[in-house]
Amino acid sequence: MKLVETKKSEVRYRTSDPKRMLNRYLTDDLCRTWTEPCIDKETGHGISVERKEKIAYRGERITQELLQRIRFFQAEGGIKEVEVSNQ
């Protein structure tokens, strides 16, 4: 007999620990962020522009392959923590 998972039994948490991410599911789209220096064409002043790139989608299971990408972007500084769920 298989136990049916419900929203009531869901466990969510934010973590930067790869061991706690593996085989869990993303609760939201995962994006890396960084800032790029740019020149404002009208004023000529330097500004910083925040950029984002989607790495994975909400509900996606964190496999070894995805975990490797997450760890790369953590080392780079583009991802700090990931919110995961057991469902």
Side-chain angles (χ1 to χ4, degrees):
M1 182 178 198
K2 185 177 178 180
L3 179 64
V4 176
E5 295 274 346
T6 64
K7 203 68 165 152
K8 197 171 189 177
S9 63
E10 181 180 32
V11 177
R12 285 182 171 210
Y13 53 89
R14 292 188 70 76
T15 184
S16 59
D17 182 1
K19 293 176 188 171
R20 295 191 68 208
M21 291 180 207
L22 187 60
N23 295 318
R24 299 293 182 199
Y25 298 88
L26 293 171
T27 60
D28 205 359
D29 291 344
L30 181 61
C31 297
R32 74 177 184 113
T33 59
W34 71 97
T35 56
E36 288 183 356
C38 295
I39 303 294
D40 185 337
K41 291 180 181 179
E42 292 179 12
T43 64
H45 295 340
I47 57 172
S48 293
V49 176
E50 184 176 276
R51 303 283 187 188
K52 289 186 179 191
E53 177 186 14
K54 194 173 289 191
I55 302 301
Y57 294 91
R58 179 174 54 116
E60 193 171 333
R61 183 171 163 262
I62 300 177
T63 60
Q64 282 289 347
E65 197 173 300
L66 178 55
L67 186 60
Q68 186 176 6
R69 289 177 44 214
I70 292 170
R71 292 181 71 182
F72 174 81
F73 290 121
Q74 281 181 318
E76 177 197 56
I79 295 176
K80 303 277 189 251
E81 288 185 324
V82 177
E83 187 174 5
V84 296
S85 170
N86 63 332
Q87 299 180 9

